[in-house]
Structure formats: C-alpha cells, structure tokens
Amino acid sequence: MKVLVPVKRVVDFNVKVRVKADKSGVELQNVKMSMNPFDEIAVEEAVRLKEAGKVSEIIIISIGPQQAQETIRTGLAMGGDRGILVKTDQITEPLAVAKILQKIVADEKPDLVIMGKQAIDDDCNQTGQMLATLLGWPQGTFASEVKLSGSSVVVTREIDGGLETLKLTIPAIITTDLRLNEPRYASLPNIMKAKQKPIDMKTPEDYGVDISPRLKSLKVEEPTKRETGIKVESVEELVSKLKKEGAI
Ligand code: AMP
C-alpha cells in the first residue's frame, strides 16, 4: 500500500508573526520556517502505518520554493521513503495545490493521501476537500483516529457535537486533526539517512497546472490590541463598572 503525504513549508508556529510595513502580507525575511504542524501529524500517521506493516511506501510532496526541499527532508527523516518537490516561488493557493496533487495521484496511484486539515499560514482548510472532489474519492477530514483494515479505512472525526466515525473505501483522502498522534522527533542517524533518499524535482508546468493566484489580498493588519483585564471583588462591583463604562 502506497501513501502520499503533502507537506507545506510555513512560518514556524512559535514565531510571532509580524505584518509587513506596507500591509501587503506578513514578514517572511529571516523568519524560521518549518513543516506545517498538521502535516507532521500526517507524516507520523503514515510512518506508524508503515511500522505496523500496513504500508509499503510513503511519498512526501511539497509545492513551494527550493527551501521546501528541507521540509521534505524532515518528512524523510521521520520515515518517508522518497520525495517530490514541485518548485515554485509563487504563493500556493489550495485549488492549485489540489490540481497538482491530482496529477501526482494519477502518476503514483496511491491508496491513501494523508494530509493536514489546514495550513497554519493561511488557515484555508480547503486543499484536502478539493482534492477529494477532483478525484471523486471519499474523504475523512479532521481525523483523530485512523484504522486500516483490508480495502477500507475507519476514520474517527472531531466534529462540533462530538465524534463521528466513517468507514471509507480505499483509495481515500484523510486530513489530520491535532489529537491523532504526537509526531516523533527525527533521530540524528535518520536525519543523515534522509540525505540519501531521492527527491524528484518538478515544476507546476510539468503537470500542466496554471497556479497563478485567483485571490487578491487587499491588506493585512494586526488584530486590534485587547486591553488587559481587571479583577473585581463582587458581582455588584462588576455590574457598577459595566454600567459606568456604558456596557449595560
Ligand atoms: P490548506 O487547505 O491550505 O489549509 O492546507 C491543507 C493541507 O493541504 C496542508 O496541511 C497540507 O497537507 C496540504 N498543502 C497545502 N498547501 C500545500 C503545499 N504548498 N505543498 C504541499 N502541501 C500543501
């Protein structure tokens, strides 16, 4: 069984994001970039399935700049077998990514695509759903548990009202939620080994996909600063303060 794991290179989740002076976007110069956290969870899940003897090959894919090769190497160090970098310096929107992944799926014929539920840079939460639609494959989004058995996969999903369990027929798309697993740190020997693993270099043109942006950002702004709160001693004090401030 073959699994594809698409991974996006994003601003590291520990970085305090700064808006560019001209408000055209966020500052990416000299900022630490890492694999999208939900994608680490996707790689971890694929590696666990391989360790359980249910998966034979894991292919790590990224669509992004040359440096996204490092993101792929991280996935290979965690246990991926080979990589595909689709190189572009443009911003990658979900539909363009889904169209490229659709072409890679046609070439590679995987049984599963396991990907993040959302990328933490643009928080779109769209690519997995779009890919499932383009392929006409079943989708189990926001997975908190994945069980593979024969030609089906049982996915427990985190939804507003609780948990939903779906049985999908393979091939299928799974998107990962936070509680699915805790990704491993790659060991030094595995980081060294990953340097020898092959990464195919491609471009969007190789797949005949036009990735020019369909969305235009008008302006990016910092959220308004929240005032620090105060503690009150009693309900009466709270009510009188709210009245004074005209809140009630
Ligand atoms: P999004 O729909 O942008 O929130 O992204 C959802 C998921 O799609 C991510 O967690 C990744 O698994 C995948 N994805 C999105 N953009 C890319 C990209 N440029 N390269 C590889 N995978 C991507």
Side-chain angles (χ1 to χ4, degrees):
M1 180 172 288
K2 210 192 240 190
V3 179
L4 299 190
V5 185
V7 298
K8 189 174 188 187
R9 179 177 182 266
V10 296
V11 173
D12 187 89
F13 76 101
N14 279 312
V15 169
K16 174 146 179 19
V17 173
R18 276 175 298 120
V19 172
K20 280 187 187 166
D22 65 1
K23 297 190 174 177
S24 62
V26 299
E27 202 53 75
L28 295 178
Q29 293 289 320
N30 303 319
V31 169
K32 183 176 180 218
M33 307 289 284
S34 301
M35 185 188 294
N36 180 43
F38 291 105
D39 304 351
E40 285 185 350
I41 296 173
V43 175
E44 176 66 34
E45 197 61 20
V47 173
R48 289 186 190 191
L49 289 171
K50 191 173 177 199
E51 287 170 344
K54 296 186 172 175
V55 161
S56 50
E57 190 180 28
I58 301 169
I59 305 166
I60 311 285
I61 300 163
S62 195
I63 299 142
Q66 184 62 35
Q67 297 92 315
Q69 205 181 338
E70 293 156 24
T71 317
I72 296 177
R73 291 263 176 238
T74 304
L76 298 177
M78 287 172 72
D81 295 290
R82 62 186 168 93
I84 302 174
L85 172 65
V86 183
K87 195 175 164 293
T88 174
D89 289 323
Q90 289 206 40
I91 283 182
T92 54
E93 289 179 359
L95 184 59
V97 173
K99 285 181 178 168
I100 291 174
L101 293 175
Q102 180 190 19
K103 293 284 167 65
I104 298 178
V105 165
D107 288 351
E108 297 285 350
K109 301 185 178 47
D111 303 279
L112 280 180
V113 179
I114 309 182
M115 52 207 291
K117 76 165 178 183
Q118 74 195 61
I120 61 163
D121 51 0
D122 51 20
D123 279 332
C124 280
N125 181 356
Q126 293 169 357
T127 312
Q129 296 88 329
M130 286 177 171
L131 179 61
T133 308
L134 289 173
L135 291 168
W137 284 12
Q139 55 182 301
T141 52
F142 316 152
S144 61
E145 193 177 7
V146 171
K147 281 194 199 137
L148 249 179
S149 69
S151 61
S152 57
V153 55
V154 176
V155 177
T156 306
R157 308 183 55 224
E158 301 211 345
I159 57 170
D160 283 347
L163 297 176
E164 180 185 46
T165 306
L166 296 178
K167 188 174 184 185
L168 314 176
T169 305
I170 285 168
I173 309 287
I174 295 172
T175 76
T176 60
D177 215 323
L178 268 187
R179 278 160 288 273
L180 180 59
N181 61 46
E182 212 174 293
R184 71 195 62 194
Y185 288 104
S187 65
L188 192 58
N190 285 344
I191 293 173
M192 300 312 286
K193 258 193 244 159
K195 291 187 200 282
Q196 309 304 323
K197 294 184 182 177
I199 299 182
D200 258 5
M201 296 296 182
K202 298 281 189 186
T203 63
E205 295 75 47
D206 292 336
Y207 296 106
V209 176
D210 169 15
I211 68 158
S212 48
R214 308 294 203 267
L215 305 173
K216 192 172 161 202
S217 293
L218 301 180
K219 143 170 105 165
V220 177
E221 284 183 320
E222 295 267 0
T224 42
K225 291 236 166 12
R226 287 177 62 182
E227 282 181 31
T228 42
I230 53 159
K231 275 191 178 163
V232 289
E233 296 298 329
S234 64
V235 174
E236 290 73 28
E237 193 188 343
L238 172 67
V239 172
S240 92
K241 278 208 187 302
L242 288 175
K243 274 191 182 151
K244 229 186 262 166
E245 287 172 17
I248 52 171

